Amino acid sequence: MALKSFIDVHPDSHFPIQNLPYGVFKSEPGTEPRPGVAIGDYVLDLSAVASAGLFDGPYLGNSDCFNQPNLNKFMELGRPAWKEARATLQKLLSAAEPTLRDNASLREKALLPMGKVQMLLPIAIGDYTDFFASKHHAKNCGLMFRGPENAINPNWFHLPIAYHGRASSIVISGTDIIRPRGQGHPTPNNPPYFGPSRKLDFELEMAAIVGSGNELGKPVDVNEAADHIFGLVLMNDWSARDIQAWEYVPLGPFLGKSFGTTVSPWIVTLDALEQFASDAPEQSPSPLPYLAEKESKNYDISLQVSIVPAGQEDANVVTRSNFKHLYWTITQQLAHHTINGCNLRPGDLLGTGTISGPEPDSYGCLLELTWNGQKPLSLNGITRTFLEDGDEVILSGCCKGDGYTVGFGECSGKIIPSPP
């Protein structure tokens, strides 16, 4: 029989007792940020639970990790503490447990309506790396810019390609994105274009949150990498395609990517996702030994992107993809990141890169969906090749269980004009 909470949770809710994702919130302006978990339409205030002495296990009993403005201290404690917290919270919120259910005073302090809180970035992000882990996305980009004879560079099949992104411009869902300005390819006999990006795009991604890190000079074994990943969030790594195309040779993305990256507020743990694990795609050629996993797995997470065009109210679904399409797994990504001795730290963010599926309606960005502007999309009669000012992009993702849904909520942002 499925675990049930004493809190009424709609079957379509992304936040049943089987999920319990972590976030950070303010109950009202001027209050201190504090950690919470989502349950149905409520946020459970973990500082209130801790103050009531209900985290009494060996890892959390004497810790102040839930009296912090972010989740970094909790994540640094490692997987045994994460499991202890999950077991405590599932018991506390279960239908058969009276501790919170029958304590009206504690319920009033600890359970806050989700619609009345402000969600914040849940972690302090020291570093951000963006991978290029989808074979379908890599192939489509190669076909567009290099042709079929060299669609995917040979090195791509041997290592998870990535670049170092900009942590300072990562923002929480709901934050407006200012259209970036920069240089673009010159036309014949003219200097480079300078001005607002003419090819602004979304990228359907997810990101792994590093929990416990590793020491400088000590790589993480690929078969132990999952113990260093706290969970996943939705991520939109906004891209200015025209700026990126002019600048990226020889050192890679810079201003075309660093102006904004949006993440969802709730971190869904790997423990919550474990029941939705699926086999990763076969890798050919076989990866080098340091990337060879005893069990190579992805997760069956259905992903969707909708656009609300400027001046409209209705959202238009433009793509449906799935996390399981990734060629390189998140554990391979983390192991490769550390193989040179690089030290990861709690709160580091590892983006997957655009998650595209094999079919045109599963491509993960407008660059692919419109084939670099050659095939405009129709959104209820409104045409788009790239994003216009006022357009809102909404990412969502979830896993379907037996009578419940484990989801990530939404990751949204609206484009506003460049300053004059």
Side-chain angles (χ1 to χ4, degrees), residues 223 242 245 354 356:
N223 294 302
D242 46 352
T354 302
S356 293

Side-chain angles (χ1 to χ4, degrees), residues 169-341:
S169 54
I170 298 174
V171 297
I172 195 67
S173 176
T175 305
D176 289 340
I177 298 295
I178 300 171
R179 182 177 295 272
R181 295 191 297 169
Q183 293 188 30
H185 268 292
T187 55
N189 303 315
N190 284 296
Y193 165 80
F194 176 77
S197 171
R198 296 166 170 170
K199 289 187 174 182
L200 188 54
D201 201 354
F202 68 81
E203 286 191 341
L204 171 58
E205 301 195 25
M206 299 194 75
I209 309 295
V210 175
S212 52
N214 61 297
E215 292 182 36
L216 183 65
K218 295 186 177 180
V220 174
D221 187 291
V222 70
N223 294 302
E224 298 172 359
D227 289 339
H228 294 262
I229 298 174
F230 180 64
L232 299 177
V233 293
L234 300 169
M235 187 174 99
N236 182 352
D237 193 28
W238 307 89
S239 296
R241 301 298 185 185
D242 46 352
I243 297 173
Q244 184 178 350
W246 174 235
E247 73 180 1
Y248 84 103
V249 176
L251 289 181
F254 184 33
L255 301 185
K257 305 286 286 184
S258 62
F259 61 92
T261 300
T262 304
V263 295
S264 54
W266 296 108
I267 305 173
V268 178
T269 64
L270 293 195
D271 285 330
L273 292 171
E274 182 58 35
Q275 60 188 306
F276 305 105
S278 61
D279 292 336
E282 181 180 355
Q283 295 179 338
S284 179
S286 297
L288 293 176
Y290 79 93
L291 291 171
E293 300 183 277
K294 294 175 183 176
E295 182 184 9
S296 188
K297 65 184 180 184
N298 282 332
Y299 300 97
D300 185 5
I301 306 170
S302 297
L303 300 169
Q304 177 178 293
V305 181
S306 301
I307 296 177
V308 182
Q312 304 296 307
E313 294 183 356
D314 295 334
N316 300 262
V317 177
V318 295
T319 191
R320 291 183 174 91
S321 188
N322 196 296
F323 186 86
K324 66 184 179 183
H325 293 315
L326 287 177
Y327 183 89
W328 293 105
T329 67
I330 54 173
T331 39
Q332 287 176 316
Q333 292 168 40
L334 187 142
H336 179 68
H337 203 314
T338 68
I339 194 60
N340 67 340

